[in-house]
Amino acid sequence: MAPGSGSRKKKASSSNVASGSGISCGETTIVSPTRIHNATIVWLHDIGMNDQDSATFVRKLNLPNVKWICPTAPTRPVTFLCGTQTTAWCDITGISENMEDDMVSFNSTAAFVVNLLKDEPGNVMIGVGGIGMGAAVALYSASATCYITGREQTIGRLRTIVGINGWLPAWRCFHRNPYLAPSVQILLTHGISDVIVPFQVGNRCFDTLRRAGFPVTFTPYEGDHHANVPQVINGVRMWLTMNLQL
């Protein structure tokens, strides 16, 4: 899509079933760049949200050289919500440093995300980010257990990972994904009063990634799980502008 042409939506269909991912997602909104297309970032929403919530957030970042791909998670029962059906990238029983992650869903969602990026032009930088559960999926791409057969080159092109109020799946056995380029940059930001994903979980995520050798920036902010606040928006905008040289 040419610069300045706005957004478009892709209806849920076979085209939203990523090859090899085993999951079928809902609608996807693409927020097109309004200037020269320098970067493409897949942005993943939190539990119970959708593509429109993601699109609203990324538009506030006001990065005219970035194309945003905002998919909607599958609708599934979530144990933490007593089996309530809602949009979720994985199942969860609770969020803590001792939680058990739904690794089957994390792997299938990671494959879905990589497939969304595989056809981006070679001269365009690519990245992945998200909020809450979406941030956990984004951060999982840094893990050695995130292996998608035939997509090593796409993983190797990842330039940036952003996680807002998320967690690092399977952090106890974390090892760096060997296909990631040494230059990949990670931004973490977390509300110190977050009662949904406790701040100490975000801090543990930062410590684990730092020990694994990632250049990671951790920015706490005064607030809770709600990320749609000026401090977060301005911080993410400035960090992406600097690290992607937009």
Side-chain angles (χ1 to χ4, degrees), residues 117-196:
L117 291 165
K118 66 181 176 63
D119 294 326
E120 290 301 300
N123 64 335
V124 168
M125 297 172 287
I126 62 174
V128 59
I131 299 174
M133 183 179 284
V137 174
L139 292 165
Y140 183 59
S141 63
S143 173
T145 56
C146 177
Y147 177 73
I148 299 100
T149 303
R151 295 287 178 257
E152 297 87 354
Q153 185 175 3
T154 303
I155 294 173
R157 286 183 58 200
L158 277 177
R159 177 73 175 270
T160 186
I161 301 171
V162 179
I164 302 173
N165 295 335
W167 68 92
L168 182 63
W171 65 270
R172 283 187 175 83
C173 56
F174 180 84
H175 295 283
R176 183 189 179 107
N177 191 323
Y179 295 102
L180 283 176
S183 59
V184 67
Q185 300 279 331
I186 300 177
L187 171 66
L188 302 176
T189 183
H190 212 109
I192 61 175
S193 302
D194 191 341
V195 296
I196 298 176

